[in-house]
């Protein structure tokens, strides 16, 4: 199956928009690569350049090791599936799937066989005679998939194929699609803005922001060792807690991470202490996911933070407590969803919540793009995420902590959490991972 290599690919549209900024990326034979990022970050443009529907401004698109910049789309052996796929309404399901084969002159007998094979693989064998209007949304999406598969392409390009479907169906189809594609062994580039979709489906995930590739790796790698603050904030739910910390080195003993009212201590024999020690006297960002925090008795020894519950969120299978520990959080903007919006305290919060509900109902995210945090921003202009008081990207931290469903605590309760020090992430003020070692 087809391999893809993008080499320093940039796309500048005639109006000056830099949609893709110096992206290099390899897709291996049979690999399921997910391109992940918020709306407008350049995912579709990458896909369209691979398909040959858009020319790179600079850089090379290689298919199977050969330069393909000038190869016409139809000679690339590619099938595309889009979000707003269009089926021919007047044709039956069978005729829709058969259409690409008819175009390329496959005869009726073998055509029928291939359509039947594909349809049964997709579980739509019994609706071949129906018109698209007589199908459910999920069935229609399967027909669109069938039409792409039937040509036996060497490469699938899928652009948010599930985002018009409701969430139950989306979960079902994402398992189906990744299963099917793997069975067929076809290399795939799958575009989504949904981090859960990316983490569940991908062999590897490539995360983009404003045209710039931020990180590439297996779901375990990008989730477990995000290369930038942006990636750390984008992946996972609840979002990673990102706290501002000042570093103090007590040579040969420990490194203090001063979080404001409280501190955490990295013992000197922790291999990461040496790397963090370079930032003596400076501010860094300490990331801790909810899974690094465990509620403990208030007087517990060890790596413990004392806090007070600001508010609780009940999610049915679990509850989340948001803890005030007297620290400052770094808010990463430009993540594309309402989850990241600042949570005002007190009365304003209810109103903001209502606004979020309305946004969900109306499908609008609202407001202008407020991408103010320049974590590895395009064109190499790199601004500190910590020293920019004119922009709203710092706020009192509310540490997300997982609790059992409907716990016997309420807002205002004190709570202590033990911190798994080995699960902390460290980022410098530009948003790059501070680390030792490698993946
Ligand atoms: N034909 C075009 N002309 C000018 N700008 C474009 C064009 N197509 C896309 N863009 C811009 O390029 C950026 C990336 O777009 P796109 O690749 O569609 O993002 P995504 O698929 O990640 O939502 C956006 O800012 C978008 O407005
Ligand atoms: Mg798009």
């Amino acid at each position: 199956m087809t391999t893809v290599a993008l080499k320093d690919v940039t796309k500048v549209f005639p109006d000056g928009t830099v949609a893709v900024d110096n992206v290099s990326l390899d897709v291996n034979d049979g690999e399921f690569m997910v391109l992940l990022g918020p709306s407008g970050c350049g995912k579709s443009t990458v896909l369209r350049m691979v398909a040959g529907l858009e020319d790179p401004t600079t850089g090379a698109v290689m298919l199977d090791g050969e330069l393909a910049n000038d190869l016409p789309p139809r000679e690339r052996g590619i099938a595309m599936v889009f979000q707003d796929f269009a089926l021919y309404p007047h044709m039956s399901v069978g005729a829709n799937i058969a259409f690409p084969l008819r175009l390329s002159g496959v005869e009726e007998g073998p055509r029928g066989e291939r359509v039947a094979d594909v349809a049964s693989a997709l579980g739509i064998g019994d609706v071949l005679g129906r018109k698209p209007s007589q199908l459910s949304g999920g069935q229609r999406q399967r027909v669109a998939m069938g039409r792409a598969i039937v040509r036996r392409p060497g490469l699938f390009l899928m652009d948010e194929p599930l985002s018009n479907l409701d969430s139950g169906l989306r979960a079902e189809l994402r398992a189906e699609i990744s299963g099917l594609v793997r069975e067929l062994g076809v290399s795939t580039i799958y575009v989504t803005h949904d981090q859960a979709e990316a983490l569940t489906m991908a062999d590897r995930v490539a995360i983009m922001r404003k045209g710039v590739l931020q990180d590439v790796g297996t779901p375990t790698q990008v989730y477990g060792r995000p290369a930038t603050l942006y990636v750390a904030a984008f992946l996972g739910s609840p979002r990673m807690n990102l706290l501002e910390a000042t570093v103090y080195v007590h040579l040969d003993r420990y490194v203090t991470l001063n979080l404001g009212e409280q501190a955490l201590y990295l013992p000197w024999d922790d291999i990461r202490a040496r790397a963090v020690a370079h930032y003596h006297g400076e501010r860094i960002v300490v990331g801790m996911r909810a899974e690094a925090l465990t509620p403990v008795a208030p007087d517990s020894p060890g790596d413990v933070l004392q806090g007070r519950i600001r508010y609780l969120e009940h999610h049915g299978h679990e509850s989340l407590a948001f803890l005030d520990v007297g620290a400052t959080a770094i808010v990463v903007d430009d993540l594309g969803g309402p989850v990241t919006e600042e949570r005002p305290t007190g009365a304003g919060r209810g109103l903001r919540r209502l606004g979020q509900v309305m946004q969900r109902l109306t499908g609008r995210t609202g407001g202008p793009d407020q991408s103010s945090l320049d974590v590895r921003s395009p064109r190499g202009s790199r601004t500190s995420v910590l020293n920019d008081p004119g922009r709203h990207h710092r706020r009192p931290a509310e540490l997300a902590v997982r609790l059992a469903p409907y716990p016997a605590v309420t807002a205002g309760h004190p709570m202590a959490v033990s911190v798994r020090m080995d699960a902390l992430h460290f980022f410098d003020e530009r948003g790059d991972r501070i680390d030792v070692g490698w993946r």
Side-chain angles (χ1 to χ4, degrees):
M1 295 298 167
T2 310
T3 64
V4 183
L6 302 177
K7 299 212 186 298
D8 306 323
V9 170
T10 291
K11 177 68 185 184
V12 185
F13 283 109
D15 66 356
T17 305
V18 183
V20 175
D21 193 353
N22 207 31
V23 165
S24 294
L25 182 68
D26 290 321
V27 182
N28 302 321
D29 188 355
E31 186 171 37
F32 196 105
M33 173 69 78
V34 174
L35 265 186
L36 173 68
S39 172
C41 74
K43 307 180 296 295
S44 295
T45 305
V46 169
L47 219 58
R48 291 171 57 79
M49 288 191 286
V50 174
L53 302 172
E54 211 71 76
D55 291 327
T57 308
T58 56
V61 175
M62 321 274 291
L63 297 176
D64 285 330
E66 305 269 341
L67 185 65
N69 287 32
D70 297 323
L71 199 64
R74 56 168 53 229
E75 289 172 32
R76 297 189 183 204
I78 283 171
M80 276 187 97
V81 184
F82 299 94
Q83 174 184 346
D84 38 9
F85 56 94
L87 301 176
Y88 301 107
H90 58 283
M91 287 185 194
S92 68
V93 166
N96 263 285
I97 298 177
F99 191 74
L101 298 181
R102 248 175 63 200
L103 277 189
S104 48
V106 177
E107 284 179 23
E108 198 172 331
R111 203 163 71 205
E113 273 173 37
R114 266 162 77 176
V115 170
D117 275 356
V118 165
S120 87
L122 287 165
I124 47 174
D126 51 343
V127 297
L128 285 177
R130 288 200 206 161
K131 295 280 163 59
S133 62
Q134 298 168 304
L135 301 178
S136 70
Q139 285 173 323
R140 277 204 290 272
Q141 185 53 271
R142 288 189 180 94
V143 177
M145 286 286 301
R147 200 170 56 182
I149 293 170
V150 79
R151 279 148 64 188
R152 296 181 184 158
L155 177 65
F156 281 134
L157 303 178
M158 304 194 192
D159 196 346
E160 315 226 13
L162 303 182
S163 38
N164 281 346
L165 305 173
D166 62 56
S167 67
L169 195 55
R170 226 161 46 216
E172 190 184 318
L173 278 176
R174 77 187 178 206
E176 245 175 62
I177 290 180
S178 56
L180 182 73
V181 164
R182 288 201 170 83
E183 212 168 285
L184 296 167
V186 179
S187 318
T188 301
I189 307 180
Y190 183 102
V191 160
T192 182
H193 63 270
D194 180 338
Q195 54 97 20
E197 207 166 286
L199 293 176
T200 50
M201 294 178 86
D203 290 326
R204 285 192 302 155
V205 188
I207 297 122
M208 289 180 70
R209 173 178 184 260
K210 292 184 175 177
V212 179
L213 194 60
Q214 297 274 314
D215 201 0
V216 187
T218 64
T220 317
Q221 287 170 336
V222 292
Y223 184 86
R225 291 172 64 85
T228 67
L229 192 57
Y230 184 79
V231 175
F234 199 89
L235 298 175
S237 174
R239 292 230 151 104
M240 190 189 285
N241 299 297
L242 299 169
L243 305 182
E244 191 176 276
T246 311
V247 175
Y248 292 102
V249 178
H250 305 266
L251 222 53
D252 291 333
R253 292 167 60 208
Y254 54 89
V255 174
T256 305
L257 303 165
N258 192 334
L259 302 173
E261 293 170 14
Q262 305 182 62
L264 292 170
Y265 304 91
L266 269 182
W268 197 245
D269 59 9
D270 183 323
I271 186 166
R272 297 167 309 163
R274 317 292 170 93
V276 172
H278 289 295
Y279 298 84
H280 175 68
E282 295 175 31
R283 284 183 294 179
I284 63 167
V285 181
V286 175
M288 48 183 93
R289 295 195 191 277
E291 51 263 42
L293 302 171
T294 315
V296 290
D299 50 357
S300 301
D303 306 307
V304 171
L305 292 174
Q306 309 289 338
R308 192 167 289 279
I309 299 176
R310 277 235 178 96
Y311 62 98
L312 290 148
E313 263 180 19
H314 303 294
H315 293 266
H317 66 293
E318 68 180 9
S319 292
L320 296 175
F322 292 87
L323 227 55
D324 177 6
V325 294
T328 299
I330 299 300
V331 181
V332 177
D333 294 330
D334 194 30
L335 294 171
V339 192
T340 56
E341 286 188 17
E342 265 186 61
R343 286 197 182 86
T345 48
R349 191 163 66 227
L351 280 178
R352 178 61 72 98
R353 283 285 160 75
L354 186 61
Q356 290 178 0
V357 171
M358 292 303 289
Q359 281 171 10
R360 274 198 285 277
L361 289 176
T362 57
R364 257 185 270 134
T365 45
D369 178 33
Q370 39 173 316
S371 38
S372 55
L373 181 63
D374 283 309
V375 183
R376 198 172 273 183
S377 58
R379 304 263 122 213
S381 67
R382 315 228 312 172
T383 320
S384 163
V385 298
L386 299 176
N387 300 309
D388 201 350
R391 290 170 174 174
H392 298 285
H393 50 226
R394 301 167 77 215
R395 63 166 163 77
E398 290 166 344
L399 232 52
V401 179
R402 285 209 170 88
L403 303 176
Y406 304 100
V409 289
T410 53
H413 262 74
M415 179 176 279
V417 287
S418 124
V419 180
R420 254 184 63 205
M421 296 300 287
D422 64 334
L424 297 185
H425 303 261
F426 305 110
F427 302 94
D428 68 18
E429 63 168 7
R430 290 154 151 188
D432 286 334
R433 185 177 191 86
I434 299 170
D435 225 334
V436 289
W438 44 88
R439 279 180 178 154

